[in-house]
């Protein structure tokens, strides 16, 4: 019995001996306020900056926080202190100019940033864009005060940018975003994924410039975006096939999504499978587009059974005719 107890005690490891990756996985299930209380539990948890480099819970917290709760800048200062002022991922809702300056001051290792509904202006972006040079993905959705010159400044300084999101729902008559698309085409040549959701354009020329200049682009989201028809002078949705033909891009090299219909989530994915086209398209529709299309369990089961049916048919045909 004593030997068994000794062996069991040898197998037990203290909390401070757990690998940082495992601790980070455990802490990812805790809400933001609970993570801050974790600091008083163990010194090793307080001294592990790699545990706090992915700051993602602030997005939901900043959306739901009340007027009496901790300010956003104060919360970010506490989180930046935990990760030794070197965050890698940062998701924040409603950034003001002071908070944006705080973020850029700690952006040396920042690779992913989503700051929707921020109230920062072009001048602030001009001053701070050079500090965001390591960004790979940036989301500026519903930042209505940011315009084409600021996007051009971001493109000039963020040369490693491979993903960019820009969703702007505006009901202002005569407000178009062609200048923003031209700025993206002129500066963001390394883009692989571009999401331009709910934007209005004067013509298709600006989007065609994006397709011709961003040669590495393999996913373009234009859902609910439209352009002004030259003859009817009415807003018309984009068509993926016509964009591929006019830009000279092959439909096998790039996925252009233009519509947002409820029935399209199953039809698009299965169409790619039936055509035996690149599986990365299926990945984009199931993962990249999952932010705006909820794929329920019934749909996933439907895709699974369709795939099973196709594989059985292929096996049967190979057995009969070969």
């Amino acid at each position: 019995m004593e030997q068994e107890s000794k062996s069991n005690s040898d197998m037990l490891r203290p909390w401070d001996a757990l690998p940082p990756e495992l601790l980070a996985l455990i802490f990812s299930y805790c809400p933001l306020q609970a993570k801050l209380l974790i600091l008083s539990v163990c010194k090793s948890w307080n001294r592990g900056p790699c545990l706090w480099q992915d700051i993602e819970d602030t997005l939901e917290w900043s959306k739901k926080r009340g007027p009496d709760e901790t300010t956003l800048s104060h919360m970010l200062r506490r989180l930046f202190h935990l990760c030794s002022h070197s965050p890698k991922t940062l998701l924040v809702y409603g950034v003001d100019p002071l908070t944006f300056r705080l973020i850029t001051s700690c952006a040396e290792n920042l690779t992913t940033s989503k700051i929707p509904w921020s109230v920062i202006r072009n001048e602030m972006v001009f001053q701070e864009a050079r500090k965001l040079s390591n960004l790979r993905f940036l989301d500026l959705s519903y930042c209505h005060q940011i315009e084409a010159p600021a996007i051009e400044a971001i493109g000039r300084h963020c040369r490693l940018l491979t993903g960019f999101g820009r969703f702007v729902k505006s009901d202002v008559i005569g407000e178009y975003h062609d200048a923003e698309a031209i700025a993206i085409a002129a500066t963001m040549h390394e883009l692989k994924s571009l999401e331009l959701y709910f934007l209005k354009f004067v013509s298709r020329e600006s989007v065609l410039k994006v397709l011709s200049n961003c040669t590495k682009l393999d996913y373009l989201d234009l859902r609910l975006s439209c352009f002004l028809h030259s003859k009817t002078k009415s807003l018309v949705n984009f068509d993926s096939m016509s964009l591929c033909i006019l830009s000279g891009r092959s439909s096998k090299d790039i996925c252009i999504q233009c519509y947002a219909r409820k029935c399209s989530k199953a039809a698009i994915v299965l169409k790619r499978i039936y055509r035996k086209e690149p599986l990365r398209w299926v990945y984009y529709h199931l993962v990249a587009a999952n932010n705006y299309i909820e794929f329920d369990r019934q749909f996933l089961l439907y895709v699974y059974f369709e795939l099973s049916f196709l594989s059985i048919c292929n096996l049967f045909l190979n057995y009969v005719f070969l």
Side-chain angles (χ1 to χ4, degrees), residues 191-316:
L191 281 182
K192 296 182 179 179
S193 174
L194 177 60
E195 300 171 353
L196 301 177
Y197 191 76
F198 240 121
L199 272 64
K200 293 187 294 184
F201 300 92
V202 176
S203 66
R204 291 179 292 189
E205 298 301 323
S206 55
V207 176
L208 292 175
K209 285 185 179 180
V210 172
L211 291 172
S212 60
N213 292 357
C214 303
T215 57
K216 297 182 180 180
L217 191 68
D218 57 12
Y219 179 72
L220 177 60
D221 190 348
L222 292 171
R223 280 176 293 169
L224 295 182
S225 292
C226 53
F227 67 96
L228 193 63
H229 198 275
S230 58
K231 295 182 179 179
T232 61
K233 300 300 179 181
S234 60
L235 293 175
V236 182
N237 289 327
F238 287 94
D239 181 69
S240 58
M241 186 61 66
S242 62
L243 287 175
C244 288
I245 294 174
L246 293 174
S247 63
R249 300 286 298 270
S250 173
S251 60
K252 295 183 179 180
D253 297 331
I254 184 170
C255 173
I256 303 176
Q257 189 166 352
C258 299
Y259 304 102
R261 297 175 298 186
K262 292 183 179 180
C263 61
S264 65
K265 58 184 181 180
I268 291 176
V269 175
L270 292 177
K271 189 168 86 171
R272 306 305 178 196
I273 296 172
Y274 284 130
R275 284 180 170 179
K276 297 182 180 179
E277 293 180 352
L279 287 178
R280 69 172 183 272
W281 286 20
V282 181
Y283 167 79
Y284 277 130
H285 284 290
L286 288 177
V287 180
N290 194 38
N291 296 329
Y292 306 98
I293 298 178
E294 294 294 335
F295 294 99
D296 53 9
R297 185 179 179 184
Q298 182 179 1
F299 165 66
L300 294 176
L301 288 174
Y302 176 63
V303 174
Y304 172 77
F305 285 119
E306 287 288 341
L307 288 173
S308 302
F309 175 74
L310 287 175
S311 60
I312 292 173
C313 290
N314 288 332
L315 288 174
F316 176 74

Side-chain angles (χ1 to χ4, degrees), residues 44-110:
S44 63
W45 294 358
N46 197 354
R47 295 174 183 173
C50 62
L51 303 178
W52 310 96
Q53 286 181 337
D54 295 329
I55 305 175
E56 301 179 357
D57 297 338
T58 49
L59 186 63
E60 291 299 324
W61 177 84
S62 57
K63 278 184 181 180
K64 300 177 181 178
R65 67 185 177 94
D68 300 330
E69 294 189 42
T70 307
T71 60
L72 181 59
S73 58
H74 179 65
M75 177 65 74
L76 288 179
R77 285 191 183 95
R78 296 175 66 183
L79 294 172
F80 288 164
H81 176 71
L82 296 176
C83 63
S84 299
H85 300 279
S86 61
K88 292 183 178 180
T89 303
L90 181 62
L91 313 181
V92 187
Y93 181 93
V95 173
D96 55 23
L98 293 177
T99 307
F100 184 68
R101 187 175 282 112
L102 173 64
I103 292 172
T104 56
S105 65
C106 303
E108 183 178 357
N109 296 320
L110 189 64

Side-chain angles (χ1 to χ4, degrees), residues 151-215:
I151 294 177
E152 185 177 356
I154 291 172
R156 286 200 310 267
H157 294 285
C158 304
R159 294 294 185 181
L160 302 177
L161 206 63
T162 59
F164 185 70
R166 179 73 169 147
F167 308 153
V168 181
K169 183 179 180 180
S170 177
D171 297 328
V172 179
I173 299 175
E175 182 179 356
Y176 299 100
H177 301 87
D178 294 80
E180 296 184 10
I182 293 173
I184 292 172
T187 57
M188 301 182 185
H189 297 154
E190 299 296 321
L191 281 182
K192 296 182 179 179
S193 174
L194 177 60
E195 300 171 353
L196 301 177
Y197 191 76
F198 240 121
L199 272 64
K200 293 187 294 184
F201 300 92
V202 176
S203 66
R204 291 179 292 189
E205 298 301 323
S206 55
V207 176
L208 292 175
K209 285 185 179 180
V210 172
L211 291 172
S212 60
N213 292 357
C214 303
T215 57

Side-chain angles (χ1 to χ4, degrees), residues 130-168:
R130 57 183 178 82
K131 301 177 183 178
L132 302 172
S133 58
N134 288 324
L135 273 181
R136 268 71 169 179
F137 181 84
L138 178 62
D139 189 346
L140 295 177
S141 298
Y142 303 107
C143 299
H144 295 283
Q145 299 181 11
I146 291 181
E147 298 174 344
I151 294 177
E152 185 177 356
I154 291 172
R156 286 200 310 267
H157 294 285
C158 304
R159 294 294 185 181
L160 302 177
L161 206 63
T162 59
F164 185 70
R166 179 73 169 147
F167 308 153
V168 181

